[in-house]
Amino acid sequence: MRLTLADIVTSLDRDEPVHLARMLILLLAFSRPDDAAIHGITKLAKLDFLLRYPSYFERAMVARGVAPERVPVEPYERRSVEATMVRYRFGPWDHRYRRFINILSAKGLARVDTDGRTVRLSLTARGMEVAAALAEEDATKPLAARARMLRQRIDIGATDIMKFIYATFPEIATLAYDEAITP
């Protein structure tokens, strides 16, 4: 059976807790003692793109000099339905990030500050506890390992991440809006 774009988007919309957990794990990996974990929703979106789609993560790590056998991606993750994403107006961007951030903030798990027009995201003490527990769950350990590798290899500014993504995955820029991107 061939999935349509509507099938993919509908199935992904039902998995909101999965997206929130992934964002908590990402914020945990990028947490800093005296600064926000992530500066800017664009940076969050680009990092989350790499974390969310294992095939792209794998290609990104190889582009950053990591040997393919050292990249923590399971074979089944490369072709799962979650591996398909949609190109939005600004490339790999999920239109729900602001909603996810607001939910995490409302639950007391994330702190949202602004610096001019930049949104600065951090985990609260409770968010750190929840994220650390999630990172130890068998189901999310691979995700946490990838998030830590992202911090080690791609802890750069939003503009540099954007340039890296478009240089590494030029096919993203050539797709029509709302077109599915498959690895």
Side-chain angles (χ1 to χ4, degrees):
M1 180 176 124
R2 180 175 147 88
L3 293 175
T4 67
L5 178 61
D7 294 330
I8 294 166
V9 171
T10 301
S11 72
L12 294 176
D13 275 344
R14 288 184 288 225
D15 296 330
E16 187 170 272
V18 171
H19 300 301
L20 295 172
R22 189 184 60 251
M23 287 182 62
L24 285 170
I25 288 170
L26 182 62
L27 288 169
L28 176 67
F30 279 80
S31 288
R32 300 165 186 341
D34 298 323
D35 196 7
I38 295 177
H39 293 239
I41 296 174
T42 298
K43 182 173 181 175
L44 173 73
K46 303 306 183 194
L47 289 169
D48 187 51
F49 162 71
L50 295 171
L51 186 58
R52 184 175 179 177
Y53 302 107
S55 294
Y56 290 99
F57 173 83
E58 186 174 41
R59 286 174 56 194
M61 291 301 106
V62 170
R64 297 297 275 196
V66 178
E69 62 275 5
R70 301 220 39 220
V71 179
V73 175
E74 299 295 326
Y76 72 87
E77 293 178 297
R78 291 181 181 94
R79 295 289 175 209
S80 70
V81 70
E82 290 83 13
T84 302
M85 70 152 303
V86 176
R87 179 176 190 255
Y88 297 105
R89 182 171 176 213
F90 300 107
W93 174 275
D94 189 315
H95 62 283
R96 300 169 295 171
Y97 282 114
R98 291 187 197 299
R99 179 174 151 198
F100 294 155
I101 291 166
N102 287 332
I103 290 169
L104 292 174
S105 178
K107 289 179 179 273
L109 301 173
R111 185 174 36 263
V112 181
D113 299 304
T114 57
D115 182 10
R117 293 178 40 188
T118 302
V119 174
R120 298 164 41 98
L121 305 165
S122 305
L123 291 174
T124 63
R126 182 167 172 248
M128 292 286 273
E129 290 174 15
V130 170
L134 280 169
E136 290 301 317
E137 292 288 325
D138 287 340
T140 52
K141 275 185 181 179
L143 194 64
R146 287 197 296 269
R148 288 188 300 272
M149 189 174 271
L150 273 176
R151 168 83 185 261
Q152 292 167 352
R153 299 291 180 157
I154 308 184
D155 190 10
I156 55 179
T159 301
D160 290 332
I161 292 173
M162 182 179 61
K163 288 177 184 176
F164 170 75
I165 286 175
Y166 287 114
T168 307
F169 315 112
E171 68 273 17
I172 290 174
T174 63
L175 295 171
Y177 295 140
D178 299 327
E179 186 174 341
I181 301 171
T182 54

